[in-house]
Amino acid sequence: MATMDDYLEVNRLNWDERAAVHAASAEYGFDRFVTDPGHLSDVVRFDRPLLGDVTGLTGIHLQCHIGTDTLSLARLGARMTGLDLSPVSLAQARRLATDAGAVVEYVEADTYSAPAALDGRTFDLVYTGVGALCWLPDIDRWAGVVDDLLEPGGRLFVREGHPMMWAVDETRTDGITLGYAYFETPEPFDFEESGTYVENDHEFVNTRQLSWNHGIGEILTALLSRGFEVTGFAEHRSVPWEALPGRMVRDGDLDEWRMVDEAERLPLSYTLQARKPVR
Ligand SMILES: C[S@@+](CC[C@H](N)C(=O)[O-])C[C@H]1O[C@@H](n2cnc3c(N)ncnc32)[C@H](O)[C@@H]1O
């Protein structure tokens, strides 16, 4: 079992190795950002109707990875800072911003250290995209970080994989079977993952990942207990990657993956919006 310090090192190694592979992939499509100044990531394009106008807002993107969503938010007019644990991811994110002619600041830190790494700066918008919260052991502590990073009245925007979807046993194709904890657990899931979610032929050596699930009630309670107002909560029948292989199909209209069968049984992702109180 990993200690709480080990999880940062284990996951950093994992993401560092994946960053260059992701940056070279068709799925992340760096070249489209460079050749088309109006291009947005699939995730931000999906989010856009709920996101509303972000022009002129200062924004912090937690766990920004290689910066495609961060750059997309900058293109929508926000003044963006991206933060991530993985220096190799941030190197790719900086390269993308430079090649795309955008001004985006990037900061290397783990999410729980973000307020200190940013010297106590506060923002109008905290954004976090798919596949972020599962790398954090304690969702209540995350909500404290969001609270610290936001201006009074500032907005939180979360687009995430649904904890119900993450509780499903992805190895079973004979129906929907729960294989993992839905609620947050003290101990992480300790997975060996030999690949990644983009097409590639890289032989990965850093295959270990330590992750956690967080129930919807736990996430909402963490925000409500700090006085946040939940301004939106939408559950979606699609997710940006093939989360349950063999049972999903890419939906060209959405640019996301949905279930082939039983689509009404399982929420695959969600968008949560909340506002920090003006105390
Ligand atoms: C799946 S990626 C985020 C995906 C992103 N939405 C995208 O598609 O570009 C997860 C990111 O979280 C970062 N990460 C993992 N644990 C972290 C932590 N404790 N603090 C900060 N970043 C972390 C990883 O380095 C990685 O870049």
Side-chain angles (χ1 to χ4, degrees), residues 8 15 28 63 65 69 84-86 109-111 130-131 135-136:
L8 292 175
W15 287 106
Y28 274 99
Q63 298 174 238
H65 196 38
D69 298 339
D84 202 281
L85 172 76
S86 154
D110 89 272
T111 295
V130 283
W135 307 109
L136 305 176

Side-chain angles (χ1 to χ4, degrees), residues 14-168:
N14 190 285
W15 287 106
D16 273 352
E17 190 177 2
R18 277 151 184 78
V21 174
H22 289 178
S25 72
E27 288 90 331
Y28 274 99
F30 269 27
D31 49 341
R32 281 177 280 151
F33 284 94
V34 177
T35 55
D36 176 2
H39 181 70
L40 301 176
S41 67
D42 289 349
V43 171
V44 169
R45 222 170 326 119
F46 183 96
D47 289 339
R48 213 169 161 189
L50 294 173
L51 193 59
D53 187 6
V54 296
T55 313
L57 298 185
T58 55
I60 175 83
H61 180 185
L62 295 176
Q63 298 174 238
C64 63
H65 196 38
I66 56 175
T68 47
D69 298 339
T70 330
L71 172 60
S72 300
L73 293 166
R75 284 186 165 175
L76 293 177
R79 279 181 286 143
M80 290 305 297
T81 301
L83 180 140
D84 202 281
L85 172 76
S86 154
V88 183
S89 297
L90 293 175
Q92 295 293 345
R94 288 190 183 103
R95 177 171 70 85
L96 174 64
T98 301
D99 291 353
V103 177
V104 182
E105 177 192 14
Y106 285 104
V107 175
E108 182 184 327
D110 89 272
T111 295
Y112 293 148
S113 307
L118 292 157
D119 295 324
R121 275 163 58 198
T122 51
F123 299 83
D124 302 316
L125 172 72
V126 171
Y127 177 90
T128 171
V130 283
L133 299 185
C134 60
W135 307 109
L136 305 176
D138 181 342
I139 202 66
D140 186 65
R141 192 171 169 198
W142 164 82
V145 169
V146 172
D147 198 1
D148 287 345
L149 291 174
L150 277 177
E151 281 286 311
R155 289 175 62 190
L156 168 68
F157 191 102
V158 179
R159 172 86 197 286
E160 249 310 350
H162 201 289
M164 266 317 297
M165 186 265 299
W166 268 321
V168 170

Side-chain angles (χ1 to χ4, degrees), residues 192-229:
E192 285 296 324
E193 178 59 65
S194 59
T196 185
Y197 50 80
V198 300
E199 271 190 39
N200 70 93
D201 53 15
H202 183 83
E203 293 270 325
F204 288 97
V205 292
N206 295 298
T207 51
R208 190 168 178 217
Q209 297 181 335
L210 296 170
S211 63
W212 290 261
N213 208 352
H214 310 287
I216 291 295
E218 293 169 332
I219 298 166
L220 293 176
T221 300
L223 294 167
L224 292 168
S225 68
R226 288 175 171 79
F228 276 61
E229 176 193 1

